[in-house]
Amino acid sequence: MISWLLTHGPARKALGLILTAAAILLSLLNLRRAGERAGRAAERLDARERNDAIQRQMLDAAARRPADRDALADRLRDGKF
């Protein structure tokens, strides 16, 4: 059967078209999968940037905290808290 497909002109053309269509379909599916992976990577990057920003805010707040109870009382009295 395969030798018949390779020797007859119309069947050979049809086989070529089928193989070309299959190659195009597979490449489109591969592009779709690559796009989905890129989207997930972008979401992970956004989440990491949000977490880093929150952590930086927490570190800044910790750096500005009063050193001891006396400093806290002074800040409360001055109204700087």
Side-chain angles (χ1 to χ4, degrees):
M1 165 122 181
I2 292 181
S3 62
W4 181 82
L5 287 175
L6 296 177
T7 57
H8 289 79
R12 193 173 185 175
K13 282 186 180 182
L15 183 61
L17 289 175
I18 290 171
L19 289 176
T20 302
I24 291 171
L25 179 66
L26 288 175
S27 64
L28 289 175
L29 290 174
N30 190 27
L31 285 174
R32 179 178 175 223
R33 193 172 341 140
E36 289 172 354
R37 274 189 303 227
R40 285 192 300 269
E43 288 175 5
R44 282 194 306 269
L45 179 63
D46 288 342
R48 182 173 289 169
E49 287 176 349
R50 278 193 311 269
N51 289 340
D52 288 346
I54 291 169
Q55 189 173 13
R56 272 193 303 277
Q57 289 174 352
M58 292 168 61
L59 288 172
D60 289 342
R64 291 187 312 264
R65 73 172 190 225
D68 56 7
R69 287 183 172 207
D70 292 333
L72 175 61
D74 289 341
R75 279 179 77 174
L76 287 173
R77 278 189 219 106
D78 294 339
K80 294 180 184 176
F81 211 95

